[in-house]
């Protein structure tokens, strides 16, 4: 029934703004929310995803697995079955501790929170994955970036000097690094982990595309966590990442985890898809082969420099990155213009390796505009 009496007026925007100004942290009010570019109908080469959708037969298996999920119930908070499957897939021994996250993003946030203390320092090469800085700022930590070399490789000596100076509580090493694609020299990684007075994290989001990994060595160091994700090998939408470390480290980080952080649909999907290891390995092989072809084709364009990559994307410097980005956009292809991220990336585009026809379309559009 409609109430005929006059309704009280809704609060005004000014009232709400005043309450927010008095309540929300000033540094949070100064932030901007992370925005994701819309790519409707475009060839999407901007987010380092796998270009391959699931084959029909796998989709049917997945649909059956998801149909059986009791959505009226909370998920298994420990996600034990998924952990068992992941351990098998990562060849992790039982003496390594494992923690799952809603994507590895959640893990990065939990790790940062675990070590955050007033005035403490987070240190990482620069440029690197933007979320390290974002989570440090949420936790009110001081973030110190150590520039890569001009060829985008890690400057191990500069990292060691900065660690000595800053005594960081947390050091991030994304290897292969995003947004550069560079695999850091394992000898440098080892020196840095050993010199770090706090916790060192090696983030191996792109390791499937690389020639070496640190995960098998995780128990060699008293202060190392290795982070992995399924996002870069065909399952970004599922949101599943993990941290592997000595069980005592995992025990501390686990205290900060929300009880049901990996939802029941993700758990069921992960179990179904981790059984398809051969499929994803084949796709990774195809992307690696295409990365080589794409790099050669880009390097053949006038004035273009391609940086060595061990990830599923390549970074290339163009005579005019804005013009190249615009030409690709006009051709219906979305890449990431990383020019503004750091002076070392001036005029650079980050291009995710696509399927062979997608890469052909990209190369043809760039040739037309060159
Ligand atoms: C180096 C690195 N780490 C972690 C992530 C987060 O991945 P996800 O949250 O999808 O696992 C990304 C995503 O781009 C990344 O580039």
């Amino acid at each position: 029934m409609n109430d005929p009496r006059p309704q009280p007026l809704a609060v005004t925007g000014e009232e709400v703004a005043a309450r927010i100004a008095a309540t929300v942290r000033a540094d949070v009010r100064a932030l901007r929310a992370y925005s994701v570019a819309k790519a409707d109908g475009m060839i999407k080469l901007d987010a380092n995803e796998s270009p391959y959708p699931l084959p029909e037969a796998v989709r049917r298996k997945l649909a059956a697995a998801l149909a059986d999920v009791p959505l009226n119930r909370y998920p298994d908070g420990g996600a034990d079955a998924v952990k068992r499957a992941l351990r098998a897939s990562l060849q992790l021994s039982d003496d390594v501790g494992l923690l799952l996250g809603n994507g590895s993003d959640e893990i990065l946030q939990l790790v940062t929170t675990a070590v955050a203390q007033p005035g403490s320092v987070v240190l990482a090469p620069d440029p690197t994955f933007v979320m390290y800085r974002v989570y440090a700022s949420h936790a009110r930590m001081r973030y110190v970036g150590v520039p890569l070399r001009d060829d985008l490789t890690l400057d191990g000596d500069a990292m060691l000097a900065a660690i000595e100076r800053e005594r960081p509580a947390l050091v991030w090493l994304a290897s292969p690094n995003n947004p550069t694609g560079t695999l850091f020299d394992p000898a440098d990684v080892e020196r840095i982990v050993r010199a770090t007075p706090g916790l060192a994290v090696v983030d191996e989001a792109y390791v499937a595309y690389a020639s070496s990994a640190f995960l098998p060595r995780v128990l060699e160091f008293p202060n190392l966590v290795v982070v992995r994700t399924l996002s870069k090998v065909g399952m970004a939408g599922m949101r599943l990442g993990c941290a592997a470390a000595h069980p005592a480290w995992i025990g501390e980080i686990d205290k900060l985890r929300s009880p049901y952080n990996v939802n029941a649909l993700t758990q069921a999907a992960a179990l179904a898809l981790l059984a398809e290891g051969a499929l994803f390995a084949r796709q990774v092989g195809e992307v690696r082969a295409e990365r080589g072809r794409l790099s050669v084709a880009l390097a053949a364009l006038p004035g273009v420099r391609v940086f060595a990559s061990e990830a599923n994307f390549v970074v290339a410097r163009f005579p005019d990155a804005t013009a190249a980005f615009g030409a690709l956009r006009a051709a219906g292809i979305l890449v990431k213009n990383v020019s503004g991220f750091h002076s070392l990336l001036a005029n650079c585009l980050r291009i995710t390796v696509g399927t062979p026809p997608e890469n052909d379309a990209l190369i043809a559009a760039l040739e037309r505009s060159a």
Side-chain angles (χ1 to χ4, degrees), residues 34 47-49 101-108 128-132 135 172-179 203-206 227-232 235-237 239-242 312-313 350:
Y34 191 95
N48 304 342
E49 298 144 329
N102 180 2
S104 56
D105 274 339
E106 185 189 19
I107 307 256
L108 310 184
T128 190
F129 186 44
V130 289
M131 297 313 288
Y132 304 150
Y135 294 138
W172 293 110
L173 291 167
S175 185
N177 188 36
N178 177 19
D203 179 346
E204 297 195 323
Y206 299 96
V227 175
R228 292 279 181 101
T229 178
L230 295 181
S231 294
K232 308 301 173 184
M235 293 164 268
R239 310 304 298 133
L240 187 68
C242 68
N312 64 341
F313 57 88
R350 189 193 70 190

Side-chain angles (χ1 to χ4, degrees), residues 11 24 54 67 112 114 118 127 166 172 178 186 252 255 265 273 311 324 326 339:
V11 292
V24 175
L54 293 173
T112 308
E166 304 286 351
W172 293 110
N178 177 19
E252 295 304 317
K255 295 173 191 171
L265 294 171
L273 295 182
S339 306

